[in-house]
Amino acid sequence: MPGPLRRACRVALVAAPLLAIGACTRDTPSVVDAKGAAERHVTVLWWPLLWVGTAVFAFVLVMLVAGIVRGRGRSESEARQQARWGEPFIVIGAVVVTGVILTGFFLFSLKEMRAIAAQGQGAALTIHVTGHDWWWEAAYPNGAVTANEIHIPSGERVRLLLDGADVIHSFWVPQLAPKRDTIPGKTNLLWIEADAPGRFRGQCAEYCGLQHAHMGLWVYAQRPDDFAKWMSDQSRPLTAPAGEAARGMRVFMTSTCVGCHAIRGTPAGGTAGPDLTHVASRDTIAGAFLPNNARVLSDWITDPQDEKPGAVMPPTQLSAADLRALVAFLGSLK
Ligand code: CUA
């Protein structure tokens, strides 16, 4: 191997694990850091899979090295002669051991899958979650609808009905539940539960197009009282705004916004984009990709493609005064 190539390989060997470790921040959820009952069924399966897999890998490596060491200095015909007695032993051993391990894990998986499915039956709250290109919609039984930030009561089992609006996405909140596909025309079921209040990162886990990586979400687990208040607040329709926000509402109602977005309590009833009735109560927009503030909203309305190329939302041409008023209106939608 030439010198520079060898050096590059050495750098890669050191850098790869460091990069992998560096990629893990507090906002990078881990499947083995379970924060709810459903996810614990996954970790119960995950660790034995890792250790048995590691043991098999180590055994194969040891056998490989032993073979290389013992075979040194022998001709091919000598080696063949020697190997003959061991062949049936190796074939039978490998098939039987592999079969036992795989069957064992298959049965183990079935047991955990059954346990996960059974526990969802006692859920008191059902939330209808729909995956869109490239954001998440969550509809609550009292009429509240939100986007990308799903609130649940902590310590309670919640049933999710999962649908896809356009292509197949996959709903995945690694610390709370296994992943599940959202498929157009087929409603999938998943239950989640968070042990304690907290904020949990989620991500679309099925490649769904250009902005798949920016199709994130957050689950906010709140104390049951706080959650009940949140859900009731979110179900309220719009109360007529005043001042610049009132002017912004007129801009909203007379521009292309109404074609795609709903604001309950107004004629705006579009369903292609997120429901904006309480958009100002959210921390993020655009698939939890951007922070929700006046500057970002202003840039986003003017040219969504600049922030998120491929986004379904078209650019909107507005005068500076209209844009300011529109952003003030959206900021008033608490
Ligand atoms: Cu939606 Cu990937």
Side-chain angles (χ1 to χ4, degrees):
M1 198 188 283
L5 189 59
R6 196 178 308 147
R7 240 188 333 270
C9 283
R10 254 187 236 146
V11 170
L13 268 177
V14 176
L18 286 180
L19 272 176
I21 293 166
C24 300
T25 66
R26 270 146 67 88
D27 276 350
T28 312
S30 163
V31 283
V32 289
D33 179 27
K35 299 290 189 202
E39 183 57 23
R40 269 191 288 279
H41 286 288
V42 178
T43 41
V44 156
L45 193 58
W46 197 93
W47 285 110
L49 268 171
L50 176 72
W51 294 126
V52 173
T54 306
V56 170
F57 181 64
F59 178 74
V60 170
L61 277 190
V62 167
M63 287 294 124
L64 186 66
V65 171
I68 292 170
V69 171
R70 284 178 42 155
R72 267 190 181 163
R74 279 186 220 162
S75 71
E76 198 175 329
S77 58
E78 276 173 345
R80 271 184 202 286
Q81 203 68 37
Q82 189 127 35
R84 198 149 296 155
W85 70 268
E87 254 172 40
F89 168 74
I90 291 168
V91 170
I92 292 168
V95 169
V96 170
V97 172
T98 307
V100 167
I101 291 175
L102 290 182
T103 309
F105 274 119
F106 176 64
L107 295 175
F108 193 6
S109 303
L110 284 186
K111 176 178 163 284
E112 294 307 317
M113 282 160 70
R114 277 174 67 102
I116 290 175
Q119 276 167 308
Q121 277 155 17
L125 173 70
T126 299
I127 306 173
H128 193 168
V129 175
T130 309
H132 294 258
D133 276 345
W134 286 280
W135 58 283
W136 298 95
E137 178 180 5
Y140 291 76
N142 68 344
V145 182
T146 187
N148 309 314
E149 295 175 11
I150 301 173
H151 290 238
I152 60 168
S154 62
E156 289 180 19
R157 208 161 280 170
V158 177
R159 180 172 35 187
L160 301 184
L161 300 179
L162 299 169
D163 266 315
D166 29 48
V167 298
I168 297 175
H169 304 275
S170 182
F171 181 90
W172 192 30
V173 184
Q175 290 166 293
L176 298 187
K179 66 178 82 158
R180 187 125 319 153
D181 283 1
T182 68
I183 302 169
K186 180 189 188 306
T187 303
N188 270 342
L189 220 113
L190 179 71
W191 70 275
I192 60 171
E193 183 175 355
D195 299 330
R199 200 172 81 131
F200 306 95
R201 175 77 190 179
Q203 172 64 37
C204 177
E206 176 90 32
Y207 181 70
C208 54
L210 203 53
Q211 291 296 338
H212 157 70
H214 294 149
M215 187 169 167
L217 72 138
W218 287 99
V219 170
Y220 291 72
Q222 296 176 287
R223 279 196 300 272
D225 288 356
D226 295 340
F227 169 76
K229 181 176 182 312
W230 175 87
M231 191 164 82
S232 147
D233 287 349
Q234 293 281 319
S235 71
R236 278 188 292 109
L238 177 85
T239 41
E244 191 171 33
R247 183 175 133 73
M249 183 172 165
R250 282 194 296 278
V251 174
F252 187 95
M253 296 301 163
T254 51
S255 69
T256 48
C257 310
V258 279
C260 297
H261 295 282
I263 295 182
R264 282 165 276 135
T266 76
T271 53
D275 181 303
L276 300 178
T277 314
H278 295 280
V279 64
S281 69
R282 298 175 203 153
D283 294 330
T284 59
I285 62 163
F289 169 50
L290 299 170
N292 184 8
N293 59 50
R295 188 189 57 75
V296 168
L297 273 178
S298 185
D299 290 349
W300 176 256
I301 293 163
T302 310
D303 189 8
Q305 309 299 319
D306 186 42
E307 300 280 5
K308 209 170 168 180
V312 180
M313 179 163 152
T316 309
Q317 301 294 324
L318 292 171
S319 71
D322 280 356
L323 182 61
R324 213 170 34 241
L326 178 56
V327 169
F329 170 57
L330 295 176
S332 75
L333 302 176
K334 300 275 189 212

